Amino acid sequence: MGETGIRLDLTGQTAIVTGASSGIGAGIARLFGRAGANVVINYRSSEDGARETLRAIEDAGGTGRIVQADVSQEGDVKRLFEEACDAFGTVHVLIANAGLQRDAPAHEMSLADWKTVLDVNLTGQFLCAREAIRLFRARGPVPEVCPALGKIVCISSVHQFIPWSGRVNYAASKGGLLLMMQSLAQEYAGEKIRINAIAPGAIKTAINRSSWDDPAEREKLLDLIPYGRIGESEDVARAALWLASDASDYVTGETLVVDGGMALYPGFREGG
Ligand code: BGC
């Protein structure tokens, strides 16, 4: 740590970013590469996207490695961490980001769509966090690199507390993440593992293309965002860098909301 005690970079640290072939995950992976981390770029199906993320990191002078794995599969998650360790020796940071939506009115939602969303968004983050915690504990502290034993950032959503009709599977997965993250943080703070979350609002990515592509939909979306613009992956990446870095060393069990004010009940702006 520097003289000011602030270290907003990740030099000498290795970070796994799940779902890093597009969207928020790709934005985080790129910024972490620029911040000096060795970045493990995980993807499930878009190899091209993962290559693009790696290229951007390398073009900026950073280092990365691509690992294909489905975070909802226990064996894949184990292999993801093994390959990360083979490439870079160990892991200091996990960004549990991979997630998806399968929207439908609840009365029409298939069990398969309920399960897929829970399996990836909630169980997937649990499997990755469990593997990271196992690895941090087995390795032990490396105080010359980082004051914490390890750091985990769960990418959640404003829908961990804003109910969302037509997306009961997604909202349930994100609501579950809140208490998963807090319970893990409580369980492992004594071992100096820091576990936090980010709750992004509407960030311009493929997951919500239909709400920013079409001008009328875009206007409706902007009505929900007091700050007056749709978020960019970089907005979330900067928050993730702070939570993953040692500048936030005394922070654990917290959710950082990055939403341009979406969670501030914008419907009440004109009085109740
Ligand atoms: C969802 C997006 C949505 C945003 C705000 C995110 O978690 O994935 O589709 O635009 O929340 O509602």
Side-chain angles (χ1 to χ4, degrees):
M1 219 177 266
E3 269 175 48
T4 58
I6 295 171
R7 241 188 82 179
L8 199 55
D9 84 327
L10 295 171
T11 303
Q13 302 193 38
T14 295
I16 294 180
V17 184
T18 67
S21 54
S22 69
I24 291 174
I28 293 173
R30 286 171 185 224
L31 184 63
F32 280 24
R34 295 209 298 279
N38 303 314
V39 187
V40 179
I41 301 156
N42 159 254
Y43 76 99
R44 182 180 56 100
S45 50
S46 172
E47 190 179 345
D48 285 353
R51 282 188 201 284
E52 216 175 291
T53 305
L54 178 61
R55 200 172 314 121
I57 290 172
E58 289 180 342
D59 284 353
T63 310
R65 172 70 64 99
I66 295 173
V67 181
Q68 191 284 333
D70 178 344
V71 296
S72 69
Q73 302 300 315
E74 197 171 19
D76 279 25
V77 172
K78 280 189 187 305
R79 186 174 44 75
L80 168 62
F81 279 76
E82 279 162 15
E83 290 188 25
C85 288
D86 287 348
F88 298 118
T90 188
V91 174
H92 307 87
V93 177
L94 164 69
I95 306 293
N97 165 75
L100 44 76
Q101 287 183 221
R102 293 281 184 277
D103 305 346
H107 60 279
E108 287 171 5
M109 187 174 285
S110 66
L111 179 58
D113 280 353
W114 170 267
K115 279 191 171 158
T116 300
V117 172
L118 270 292
D119 283 355
V120 174
N121 296 10
L122 184 56
T123 306
Q125 289 212 16
F126 168 71
L127 291 173
C128 290
R130 187 184 67 174
E131 212 51 40
I133 290 164
R134 286 176 175 167
L135 189 154
F136 299 154
R137 298 180 83 236
R139 182 202 56 223
V142 265
E144 62 285 7
V145 177
C146 137
L149 186 65
K151 297 157 287 188
I152 298 174
V153 180
C154 300
I155 305 302
S156 180
S157 165
V158 289
H159 299 295
Q160 71 173 26
F161 44 76
I162 301 180
W164 206 11
S165 114
R167 286 97 174 164
V168 63
N169 47 1
Y170 186 80
S173 73
K174 297 299 185 177
L177 270 184
L178 171 61
L179 276 167
M180 183 196 86
M181 178 279 288
Q182 289 177 327
S183 301
L184 289 174
Q186 186 191 64
E187 192 165 342
Y188 293 101
E191 297 189 41
K192 300 197 86 182
I193 300 175
R194 296 195 299 112
I195 306 168
N196 292 287
I198 296 176
I203 308 300
K204 196 173 175 187
T205 68
I207 208 171
N208 56 4
R209 180 178 296 280
S210 60
S211 36
W212 49 262
D213 234 5
D214 172 77
E217 291 299 315
R218 192 185 163 81
E219 280 316 301
K220 278 205 285 184
L221 179 59
L222 283 169
D223 266 352
L224 296 174
I225 308 173
Y227 203 60
R229 69 170 173 86
I230 299 169
E232 300 290 338
S233 296
E234 176 89 14
D235 291 310
V236 180
R238 284 194 296 269
L241 178 57
W242 182 70
L243 282 175
S245 80
D246 303 327
S248 62
D249 190 52
Y250 204 48
V251 179
T252 193
E254 225 11 272
T255 298
L256 192 45
V257 179
V258 181
D259 71 342
M262 187 178 235
L264 298 174
Y265 298 95
F268 278 79
R269 270 177 294 186
E270 266 75 59

